[in-house]
Amino acid sequence: MKHLSKNMTAHQKDIFQELIARVLRNRGNLTPETRRQFWELVDEVGASQEEVDTMKHLLAGPIVIYMNYFFEDALVALKGGEPYKSAARSDYEQYLKSLEAMTDDRIEANDRLMEQIAYRQPVQQGDQSSVLDETMILQALDRVQQAVETINILFTRP
């Protein structure tokens, strides 16, 4: 990504981020036109497939891939009554850290959140707090899975 970043203007980075945010907000925005715009921009900056994969992890990874690992672990923690961190989530955290897409502070905050889930303590969600139950976590996993599918489609050349 560092090489790719050198070839990208701030405006181009903003466009990439906006395209990704748009399709994550509403899967209906994942149109042929959006995909065309995305891949035209990839070609414009001369990105290799490896750079596209890295960009996928930098721009989308923290949002969807990591959250999938997190909520899968949350189910285990909820059922077991103890915080849980899978090797996959731990490894992905280290990968995101190496890309400077996740900080130690964010990892620690997620670990505290996992404790709240495991011990069935209220979790702050916007203006409200509630204890996450299995149904809520499964719904979150479903939304994350839909987002993963959306990102995979966007990042697959038509």
Side-chain angles (χ1 to χ4, degrees), residues 37-52:
Q37 289 173 345
F38 178 84
W39 284 98
E40 281 179 359
L41 189 56
V42 167
D43 292 339
E44 182 179 311
V45 300
S48 68
Q49 187 58 49
E50 181 181 356
E51 290 167 331
V52 170

Side-chain angles (χ1 to χ4, degrees), residues 39-86:
W39 284 98
E40 281 179 359
L41 189 56
V42 167
D43 292 339
E44 182 179 311
V45 300
S48 68
Q49 187 58 49
E50 181 181 356
E51 290 167 331
V52 170
D53 291 343
T54 300
M55 183 174 39
K56 176 180 175 181
H57 288 288
L58 273 174
L59 298 177
I63 299 168
V64 293
I65 298 169
Y66 180 77
M67 293 310 295
N68 192 64
Y69 288 134
F70 182 86
F71 284 116
E72 286 175 348
D73 288 357
L75 276 178
V76 174
L78 187 68
K79 290 177 182 178
E82 292 187 355
Y84 178 76
K85 183 181 285 195
S86 63

